């Protein structure tokens, strides 16, 4: 690899990003909440804005314009998926642009409506805008609380195969809202691009795809290739002082982002032509509310023909959606941010991302937005367009507002089949088909959450998400409840847990020790080598106390070796009867073989030694 290929990006520097990227309270320095460093962590804009340049402004404007041309037709389409009037997609598309400008830690991520969130909103809000807006407000509140409590790390409780397959069901046109409208053009599509320039242009958005009919085109292209393409448009891997930045793949570069807008515009023109002739073969988008959304509080009650639905009843109606939607928003947005941060050599602050999502949903509910999260497709457009900072989102947000104010009357003629095609082609690159073969080679057990999530999502999206997360958690609990142990036979039996000891592992540890030391004839002494145990809880202490009593009744000893200070402090505080520990394995074996000259450091019968007092007071 040439030296130029490893030079830092001439975009928002990693060093600037790193100034506000502490991912947990334990990693952050102990500073006052009002100190400049703390304020900069909460407002990442302060890290990069002082270094903002004219070159960055140019790149951000191009990227923001490209994303804006992409998000307008997508937002209309996603509103259709959510079962809401089309203007609600646009209402949901601009608030994240402005919030992320101040709070975002990734230069690439764009927040807004996505396919998977639209599907969830469709299920949990019963196609009622009032429910959708309230769900956005409550989801944002939950995400903000999670951010304040630093619960972003809980996203690590689900496996990568689960995250990789979450987008799979949405990337298949089997969802009724997509398939129903897509079939309207199916006869044209089967004839191929020569007879259907609309879908031929849409189908050739990525040069790695063949350009035959939609029916024959691949619906599951590779996610890594989509990520790689996001890096190839702008070559900014120059020296930090260089101002040069050029497009390296003009044949497949900046023309792509506008294609959704061009396809929708052309389809609307065709539909309008039919409208003039008096024959309309398409189902049109129809009337779209004109103007900017009013700023008002979310609806905490709803009046219907049968009476008023109270806030409590609305919350009960949404049910599990209040857990699924915030969690899915967290997982999707952070997964997108981490993927592009890894590809473009910088780091993000996951907790800050969570706060940005939460505040976007809360503020978005004031302008009739439904829940939003990070969009993989538009983030890829943003990255391939050469974005340098989150300021590109300002251009996108302004473009959406201008569309709401001046273009809504033109949306009437957009065929729903064109919006369906936009959705299908937007989500198609999100699923990595190679992951099946990779997991089969690397670790086949990880195929379990992948397959469970994928298959159940075809039944109901929320069931697939919940089942996949549950299987991931069960796999995590199983590994914690059945820790591997290394057993060494000899004059004295030595058992070494390969990982930490927590309450799920107590029963398995007891069974292992009893079967090897006490359920044999004659009973044997045992040394528990705890080098890899860095913490224990009260349930483990009780389990170890029971083992000591069992060994005492059998007339043999259980000794401890390699105790780390936190673990030793807990065990000494519990004052277990017969507890004895040694600094080395040799000392323990010598003592248990009843060789003279070696004594344990602590037994219950001893007087309180000075080192014990020091440990307890530490």
């Amino acid at each position: 690899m040439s030296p130029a290929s490893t030079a830092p990006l001439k975009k928002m520097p990693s060093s600037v990003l790193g100034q506000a990227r502490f991912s947990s309270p334990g990693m952050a320095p102990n500073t006052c909440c009002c100190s400049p460093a703390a304020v900069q962590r909460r407002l990442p804009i302060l890290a990069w804005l002082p270094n903002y340049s004219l070159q960055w402004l140019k790149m951000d404007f191009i990227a923001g314009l490209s994303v804006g041309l992409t998000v307008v037709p997508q937002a209309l389409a996603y509103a259709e998926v959510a079962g809401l009037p089309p203007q609600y997609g646009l209402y949901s598309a601009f608030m994240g642009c402005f919030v992320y400008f101040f709070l975002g830690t990734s230069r690439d991520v764009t927040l807004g409506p996505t396919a998977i969130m639209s599907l969830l909103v469709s299920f949990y809000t019963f196609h009622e805008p009032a429910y959708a807006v309230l769900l956005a407000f409550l989801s944002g509140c939950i995400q903000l609380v999670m951010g304040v409590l630093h619960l972003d790390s809980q996203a690590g409780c689900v496996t990568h195969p689960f995250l990789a397959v979450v987008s799979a069901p949405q990337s298949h046109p089997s969802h009724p809202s997509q398939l129903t409208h897509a079939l309207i053009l199916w006869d044209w599509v089967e004839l191929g691009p020569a007879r259907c320039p609309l879908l031929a242009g849409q189908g050739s958005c990525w040069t790695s795809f063949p350009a035959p009919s939609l029916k024959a085109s691949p619906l599951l292209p590779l996610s890594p290739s989509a990520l790689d393409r996001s890096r190839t448009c702008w070559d900014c891997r120059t020296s930090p002082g260089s101002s040069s930045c050029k497009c390296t793949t003009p044949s497949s570069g900046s023309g792509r982002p506008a294609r959704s807008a061009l396809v929708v515009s052309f389809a609307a023109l065709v539909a309008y032509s039919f409208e003039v002739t008096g024959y309309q073969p398409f189902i049109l988008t129809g009337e779209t509310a004109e103007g900017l959304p009013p700023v008002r509080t979310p609806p905490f009650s709803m009046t219907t023909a049968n009476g008023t639905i109270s806030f409590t009843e609305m919350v009960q109606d949404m049910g599990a959606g209040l857990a699924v939607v915030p969690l899915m928003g967290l997982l999707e947005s952070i997964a997108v941010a981490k993927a592009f941060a890894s590809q473009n050599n910088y780091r993000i602050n996951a907790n800050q991302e969570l706060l940005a999502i939460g505040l976007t949903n809360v503020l978005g509910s004031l302008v009739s937005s439904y829940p939003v999260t990070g969009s993989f497709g538009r983030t890829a457009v943003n990255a391939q367009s050469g974005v340098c900072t989150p300021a590109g989102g300002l251009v996108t947000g302004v473009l959406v507002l201008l569309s709401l104010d001046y273009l809504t009357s033109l949306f009437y003629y957009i065929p729903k089949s064109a919006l369906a095609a936009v959705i299908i082609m937007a989500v198609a690159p999100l699923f990595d088909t190679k992951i099946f073969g990779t997991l089969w080679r690397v670790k086949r057990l990880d195929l379990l959450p992948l397959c469970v999530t994928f298959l159940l999502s075809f039944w109901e999206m929320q069931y697939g998400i919940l089942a996949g997360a549950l299987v991931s958690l069960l796999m995590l609990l199983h590994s914690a409840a059945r820790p591997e142990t290394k057993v060494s036979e000899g004059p004295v039996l030595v058992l070494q847990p390969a990982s930490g000891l927590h309450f799920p592992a107590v029963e398995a540890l007891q069974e292992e020790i009893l079967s090897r030391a006490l359920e044999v004839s004659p009973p044997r002494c045992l040394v528990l080598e705890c080098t890899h145990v860095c913490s224990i809880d009260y349930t483990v202490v009780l389990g170890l106390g029971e083992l000591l009593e069992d060994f005492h009744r059998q007339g043999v000893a259980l000794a401890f070796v390699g105790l780390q200070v936190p673990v030793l402090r807990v065990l000494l505080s519990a004052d277990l009867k017969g507890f004895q520990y040694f600094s080395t394995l040799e000392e323990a074996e010598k003592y248990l073989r009843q060789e003279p000259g070696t004594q344990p450091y602590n037994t219950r019968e001893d007087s309180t030694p000075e080192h014990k007092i020091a440990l307890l007071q530490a």
Side-chain angles (χ1 to χ4, degrees):
M1 181 179 294
S2 64
S5 64
T6 59
L9 291 171
K10 184 60 177 177
K11 295 184 180 180
M12 184 164 46
S14 301
S15 59
V16 174
L17 287 166
Q19 294 177 23
R21 71 186 186 195
F22 295 106
S23 58
S24 67
M27 294 175 62
N30 186 20
T31 58
C32 174
C33 62
C34 297
S35 67
V39 172
Q40 192 176 88
R41 286 198 303 274
R42 291 304 174 210
L43 290 174
I45 184 177
L46 300 178
W48 57 263
L49 189 59
N51 302 315
Y52 203 76
S53 66
L54 185 61
Q55 180 191 2
W56 289 3
L57 176 62
K58 175 184 175 182
M59 301 291 289
D60 287 342
F61 180 82
I62 294 173
L65 185 63
S66 300
V67 176
L69 293 174
T70 304
V71 71
V72 171
Q74 283 190 359
L76 295 172
Y78 289 147
E80 180 70 27
V81 174
L84 301 174
Q87 66 268 19
Y88 282 88
L90 295 175
Y91 293 167
S92 307
F94 65 86
M95 184 59 72
C97 301
F98 300 122
V99 172
Y100 204 79
F101 172 72
F102 294 98
L103 301 182
T105 60
S106 169
R107 63 169 172 257
D108 300 308
V109 168
T110 62
L111 301 182
T114 64
I116 190 168
M117 294 300 286
S118 300
L119 289 173
L120 294 175
V121 168
S122 174
F123 180 83
Y124 287 113
T125 63
F126 322 107
H127 301 180
E128 286 287 346
Y131 277 89
V133 175
L134 181 60
L135 180 59
F137 175 77
L138 296 178
S139 297
C141 291
I142 293 171
Q143 289 166 336
L144 283 177
V145 171
M146 294 175 65
V148 171
L149 299 178
H150 293 272
L151 297 181
D152 57 285
S153 59
Q154 303 308 311
C157 293
V158 294
T159 61
H160 175 76
F162 165 75
L163 293 176
V165 81
V166 156
S167 60
Q170 56 176 321
S171 64
H172 197 285
S174 61
H175 191 269
S177 63
Q178 302 171 34
L179 184 59
T180 301
H181 302 308
L183 286 175
I184 297 174
L185 290 178
W186 202 258
D187 292 338
W188 288 13
V189 173
E190 289 180 338
L191 298 177
R195 295 288 300 276
C196 186
L198 165 64
L199 290 179
Q202 182 71 2
S204 60
C205 284
W206 292 283
T207 55
S208 60
F209 292 178
S213 65
L214 179 62
K215 186 174 182 179
S217 65
L219 291 173
L220 296 175
L222 304 184
S223 182
S225 63
L227 271 175
D228 290 339
R229 286 191 298 270
S230 73
R231 305 177 62 183
T232 57
C233 181
W234 290 96
D235 182 14
C236 295
R237 294 179 175 273
T238 55
S239 60
S242 174
S243 60
S244 62
C245 193
K246 60 182 180 179
C247 185
T248 59
T249 56
S251 61
S252 61
S254 58
R256 298 175 189 165
R259 290 192 178 184
S260 293
L262 292 176
V263 165
V264 170
S265 300
F266 180 76
L269 182 61
V270 172
Y272 178 76
S273 301
F274 278 109
E275 188 80 9
V276 171
T277 63
Y279 172 72
Q280 186 55 265
F282 306 114
I283 298 177
L284 304 181
T285 299
E287 294 289 343
T288 302
E290 296 184 6
L292 301 177
V295 179
R296 58 192 176 192
T297 57
F300 294 105
S301 63
M302 188 176 70
T303 302
T304 64
N306 298 325
T308 301
I309 302 177
S310 66
F311 172 74
T312 303
E313 291 173 328
M314 294 178 72
V315 170
Q316 291 174 347
D317 291 340
M318 288 185 285
L322 294 176
V324 174
V325 172
L327 177 62
M328 196 63 244
L330 162 67
L331 295 178
E332 188 174 7
S333 188
I334 292 182
V336 170
K338 287 185 175 180
F340 281 87
S342 175
Q343 288 290 322
N344 294 323
N345 303 316
Y346 64 89
R347 294 182 61 186
I348 59 130
N349 183 334
N351 191 73
Q352 185 67 22
E353 293 292 305
L354 179 55
L355 292 173
I357 302 167
L359 188 59
T360 295
N361 281 321
V362 170
L363 296 181
S365 68
L366 302 179
V367 290
S368 303
S369 165
Y370 67 81
V372 301
T373 185
S375 167
F376 187 100
R378 294 191 297 276
T379 298
V381 170
N382 207 25
Q384 77 177 14
S385 300
V387 70
C388 294
T389 72
L394 295 181
V395 180
T396 302
V398 170
L399 191 60
V400 173
L401 292 175
L402 291 175
S403 300
L404 276 168
D405 209 17
Y406 298 106
L407 301 180
T408 48
S409 60
L410 303 179
F411 297 155
Y412 178 93
Y413 297 101
I414 298 176
K416 290 187 176 181
S417 54
L419 298 180
V422 169
I423 295 174
I424 292 172
M425 297 310 300
V427 300
L430 301 187
F431 185 45
D432 180 10
T433 54
K434 287 186 177 180
I435 194 172
F436 291 95
T438 302
L439 292 179
W440 183 262
R441 295 191 307 270
V442 176
K443 190 173 183 180
R444 297 177 183 178
L445 182 61
D446 284 340
L447 284 169
L448 182 60
L450 185 147
C451 293
V452 167
T453 305
F454 184 83
L455 295 176
L456 289 183
S457 293
F458 279 94
W459 176 28
E460 288 289 353
M461 173 66 70
Q462 66 279 1
Y463 295 155
I465 294 171
L466 291 174
L470 180 61
V471 170
S472 298
L473 289 173
L474 290 176
M475 291 172 58
L476 179 64
L477 289 175
H478 181 269
S479 61
R482 297 288 176 180
E484 295 184 4
T485 55
K486 179 181 179 181
V487 180
S488 301
E489 297 284 350
V492 177
L493 189 64
V494 180
L495 189 145
Q496 182 184 44
S499 60
L501 289 179
H502 296 283
F503 65 91
V506 172
E507 185 175 349
L509 180 66
Q510 288 178 320
E511 292 177 357
E512 180 83 5
I513 292 176
L514 291 175
S515 63
R516 292 183 177 275
L518 300 185
E519 295 178 359
V520 297
S521 183
R524 305 179 61 185
C525 295
L526 183 137
V527 175
L528 191 60
E529 219 285 350
C530 301
T531 302
H532 300 300
V533 179
C534 58
S535 65
I536 59 175
D537 52 49
Y538 183 65
T539 304
V540 175
V541 172
L542 292 180
L544 294 177
E546 294 174 0
L547 285 173
L548 289 170
E549 292 177 0
D550 292 338
F551 272 81
H552 180 71
R553 283 194 295 267
Q554 295 285 347
V556 290
L558 171 63
F560 295 80
V561 168
L563 293 173
Q564 299 186 29
V565 173
V567 178
L568 180 58
R569 186 183 298 120
V570 171
L571 293 175
L572 291 176
S573 301
D575 203 20
L576 300 176
K577 181 179 180 180
F579 171 65
Q580 47 193 7
Y581 63 95
F582 300 83
S583 59
T584 65
L585 180 60
E586 291 75 14
E587 292 181 358
E589 291 180 339
K590 184 178 180 180
Y591 173 78
L592 294 177
R593 289 197 302 265
Q594 301 299 321
E595 296 182 12
T598 304
Q599 293 295 325
Y601 284 101
N602 183 75
T603 62
R604 181 182 174 88
E605 292 76 13
D606 289 344
S607 59
T608 305
E610 293 183 359
H611 70 275
K612 178 177 178 179
I613 295 175
L615 281 171
L616 293 176
Q617 291 178 347

